Amino acid sequence: MDNLWKTTMGKVSFWSEVVEDLSLGLPSHAINTWIDPIKAKGVSNNKILLEVPNQFFLEWVESHYKNTINASIKKISKNKLSAEFKIDSISNNQKTKKSQNTTEEKRKTIKKPSPTNKGYVFDGFVEGANNQFAKTASQAVASEPGKPSFNPLIIYGGVGLGKTHLIHAIGNEALKRNPNLNVVLATSEKFTLDFVNGLRKNKTIEFAKRYRKADILLIDDIQFFSGKEQTQEQFFHTFNELYQSEKQIVLTADRYPSEMKGLQDRLLSRFQSGLVVDIQPPDYEVRVAILMEKAEQNGVDLPYEIIEFIATHIKSNIRDLEGTIIRILAKSSLMNRDIDFGLAKEVVKERAGNNLDLGLSCESIINQVSDVFAIPHKDIVGKSRRMEIVQARQVAMYLCRNLLDASLSSIGVSFGGRDHTTVIHAIKTIEQKGPKNPSLDKTIKSIEEKLSFISS
Ligand code: ADP
Ligand code: MG
């Protein structure tokens, strides 16, 4: 079969024939999202090896497209081949690096696979005021591990805010700079399990060696050490030994160390000898930036208004933002639907559940007007008499009246306590100007359209 692959069909042309065949049956967004990223790697044992970018992708393609893909492969190979999917876990730059390694180093790399997730690197980590300090400190530690003032480094913050991403990125970056470093990464559960297994099998010495010979020890989610006295004892010794030999230790936790119940005081005071940094929930701009990054990573081109919409309504954490994009992708592909505002709204509604307030209000109207006119919310409700601001304010008042049927005086209140005559004047002005001014008319219609998504 390998011969067939080499002789009668070049690697590229065979797979591109398959893709061409698939394009006849699948919608183009499915091809863009799920077929184009697949790379054909070769053939062995009558299987054509297909590389996909990640686990989610693998599961998705296997459950939704495997049969279709296989049918095309069978057709084109005349029943000789079928598909086998594999995750491409090594990023390109590591591939280049690897090929430059000597055989000796190669052997080492294989013997000692790094435990880090290669997808978590600093590059893809969007920086904002909420996580800047944590990211900078992590980068510093990755480039110069073991400096006393940053040792240990403790990163704390709520669920889904990027702690695991950062701790893996530290490991990946340190290894990239020095592939011979012994980077040991584990969750606190894994550490506990290793310890317990060591006890059970009389192999505590091996356990101790494994962790104590680390050049960089990374332990994720140390809150799970709480209440586990024996494990903490072990960790305390590991910590001290590494610390004394100036090996870097990085820990993550879901809260500030001293707020963790069930941790021994001596551990806590060790933790405080280094640097403690926090990650806060992302603000609006960071959410938008993260959504753009995730859309790009997943190979979708999300219109900006959809990104804004998600960022406005999904606020709690980054895992949710990511999940929303993946769900939109999945739905679009599964149900053969275009990715549009309606689909985005459905998914956001599902995910945000009862917390989602899509109701229309003067507030949301002012926000939309502020966006479209690029005039800050506070200016629209403020006192400025500048022409463009006055016009935006009048449009917003007009829309509040038309879309909400709000009383004149309540509109006045929403605009910084103006009286009803001002509101009447605004509405009249727009009613007269609108029809005579096509560009203003168009702007108003586009705002109405956007708001209708919110209210329906
Ligand atoms: P935590 O460990 O704090 O619960 P994770 O590190 O698992 O959170 O992050 C959840 C998801 O969000 C991951 O897929 C991660 O890659 C992503 N993520 C978190 N912060 C960022 C960021 N600043 N930029 C890009 N992706 C991020
Ligand atoms: Mg985590």
Side-chain angles (χ1 to χ4, degrees):
M1 191 41 49
D2 294 45
N3 277 343
L4 172 69
W5 174 262
K6 280 182 205 130
T7 54
T8 60
M9 353 174 179
K11 192 154 71 167
V12 179
S13 71
F14 174 73
W15 178 244
S16 41
E17 268 187 64
V18 175
V19 174
E20 215 178 293
D21 188 58
L22 288 168
S23 329
L24 301 176
L26 293 173
S28 65
H29 64 88
I31 298 282
N32 292 341
T33 312
W34 302 111
I35 307 298
D36 279 350
I38 298 177
K39 291 187 207 123
K41 285 293 168 184
V43 170
S44 78
N45 298 330
N46 296 347
K47 302 261 186 214
I48 164 166
L49 196 62
L50 298 174
E51 234 173 47
V52 298
N54 55 45
Q55 182 65 32
F56 167 76
F57 199 106
L58 179 80
E59 285 169 19
W60 190 261
V61 167
E62 287 210 317
S63 58
H64 295 92
Y65 297 109
K66 197 176 178 175
N67 292 342
T68 323
I69 292 174
N70 263 326
S72 286
I73 291 178
K74 287 219 157 88
K75 188 164 120 197
I76 289 164
S77 69
K78 309 211 168 37
N79 269 329
K80 285 174 183 147
L81 295 178
S82 62
E84 177 162 301
F85 294 97
K86 243 191 89 177
I87 299 172
D88 170 17
S89 56
I90 305 164
S91 73
N92 288 333
N93 73 35
Q94 270 144 349
K95 272 184 200 151
T96 352
K97 180 154 236 157
K98 234 183 170 179
S99 63
Q100 287 162 355
N101 277 352
T102 61
T103 2
E104 165 65 3
E105 270 169 331
K106 247 187 206 165
R107 211 167 42 77
K108 265 191 196 158
T109 337
I110 294 163
K111 226 172 67 186
K112 196 184 62 193
S114 127
T116 56
N117 177 336
K118 298 293 175 206
Y120 288 157
V121 289
F122 288 123
D123 248 1
F125 192 84
V126 177
E127 195 175 310
N130 63 313
N131 60 24
Q132 207 162 31
F133 190 26
K135 183 180 179 184
T136 311
S138 299
Q139 282 172 316
V141 156
S143 56
E144 272 185 275
K147 273 185 130 181
S149 48
F150 286 15
N151 205 12
L153 173 66
I154 300 186
I155 305 167
Y156 76 95
V159 171
L161 295 181
K163 304 181 296 294
T164 298
H165 190 134
L166 275 184
I167 205 171
H168 281 252
I170 292 173
N172 286 328
E173 177 68 22
L175 278 172
K176 196 170 131 194
R177 286 166 180 263
N178 180 358
N180 294 320
L181 279 182
N182 182 18
V183 172
V184 177
L185 184 147
T187 60
S188 60
E189 286 112 321
K190 172 84 166 70
F191 184 93
T192 308
L193 198 71
D194 283 353
F195 171 57
V196 173
N197 275 332
L199 281 183
R200 224 161 42 93
K201 296 177 183 156
N202 280 328
K203 284 184 178 167
T204 36
I205 296 177
E206 269 175 37
F207 162 81
K209 265 198 197 152
R210 178 170 140 62
Y211 285 94
R212 290 184 203 176
K213 67 174 202 256
D215 293 314
I216 302 186
L217 178 66
L218 309 164
I219 305 279
D220 201 7
D221 284 329
I222 56 165
Q223 67 272 12
F224 296 118
F225 279 152
S226 47
K228 295 172 185 145
E229 296 283 324
Q230 289 282 327
T231 309
Q232 285 185 37
E233 185 74 24
Q234 271 304 317
F235 184 69
F236 183 72
H237 294 307
T238 308
F239 186 103
N240 283 341
E241 202 163 313
L242 292 174
Y243 185 76
Q244 271 151 24
S245 39
E246 292 183 22
K247 305 295 188 189
Q248 181 69 47
I249 301 157
V250 182
L251 310 168
T252 71
D254 69 350
R255 70 203 74 175
Y256 190 75
S258 66
E259 283 166 16
M260 267 181 276
K261 296 212 171 68
L263 277 196
Q264 299 163 357
D265 286 344
R266 58 178 189 171
L267 260 187
L268 288 180
S269 71
R270 278 284 180 273
F271 292 167
Q272 262 134 19
S273 62
L275 180 64
V276 181
V277 296
D278 67 330
I279 308 188
Q280 292 295 323
D283 57 24
Y284 176 78
E285 286 76 11
V286 176
R287 295 201 295 279
V288 167
I290 286 172
L291 285 165
M292 291 169 95
E293 167 79 22
K294 300 290 167 190
E296 196 181 310
Q297 279 172 15
N298 284 289
V300 254
D301 198 11
L302 281 189
Y304 190 67
E305 54 172 8
I306 291 188
I307 291 197
E308 275 185 316
F309 179 76
I310 302 172
T312 310
H313 294 289
I314 307 277
K315 296 181 184 163
S316 54
N317 72 53
I318 293 155
R319 192 170 296 143
D320 274 0
L321 289 177
E322 215 171 13
T324 306
I325 289 208
I326 287 178
R327 180 104 186 116
I328 289 175
L329 258 180
K331 268 201 142 174
S332 125
S333 180
L334 183 65
M335 292 151 65
N336 272 346
R337 284 176 56 180
D338 284 338
I339 297 180
D340 58 11
F341 210 105
L343 178 63
K345 211 177 95 182
E346 252 173 63
V347 171
V348 167
K349 258 187 178 163
E350 274 167 25
R351 297 184 69 87
N354 295 334
N355 299 330
L356 185 64
D357 177 16
L358 291 177
L360 205 53
S361 60
C362 270
E363 224 23 53
S364 52
I365 291 175
I366 296 170
N367 282 335
Q368 200 66 54
V369 170
S370 145
D371 264 12
V372 170
F373 281 80
I375 289 173
H377 187 294
K378 68 169 189 342
D379 288 344
I380 294 183
V381 302
K383 301 260 178 284
S384 167
R385 300 295 313 156
R386 266 178 42 211
M387 225 167 64
E388 67 273 24
I389 296 179
V390 170
Q391 185 165 67
R393 185 180 300 140
Q394 290 175 335
V395 166
M397 287 181 171
Y398 164 86
L399 288 170
C400 287
R401 180 65 171 178
N402 268 8
L403 300 176
L404 300 176
D405 208 15
S407 74
L408 296 173
S409 58
S410 79
I411 297 175
V413 170
S414 298
F415 287 77
R418 291 183 153 81
D419 73 38
H420 72 279
T421 53
T422 313
V423 180
I424 292 180
H425 174 71
I427 296 168
K428 284 215 170 112
T429 309
I430 297 302
E431 276 170 356
Q432 283 162 9
K433 263 198 207 163
K436 289 188 217 142
N437 180 340
S439 120
L440 178 63
D441 196 47
K442 208 170 134 209
T443 308
I444 294 175
K445 293 233 161 65
S446 84
I447 298 171
E448 280 176 341
E449 197 180 332
K450 283 190 180 169
L451 289 167
S452 75
F453 283 121
I454 297 182
S455 59
S456 63

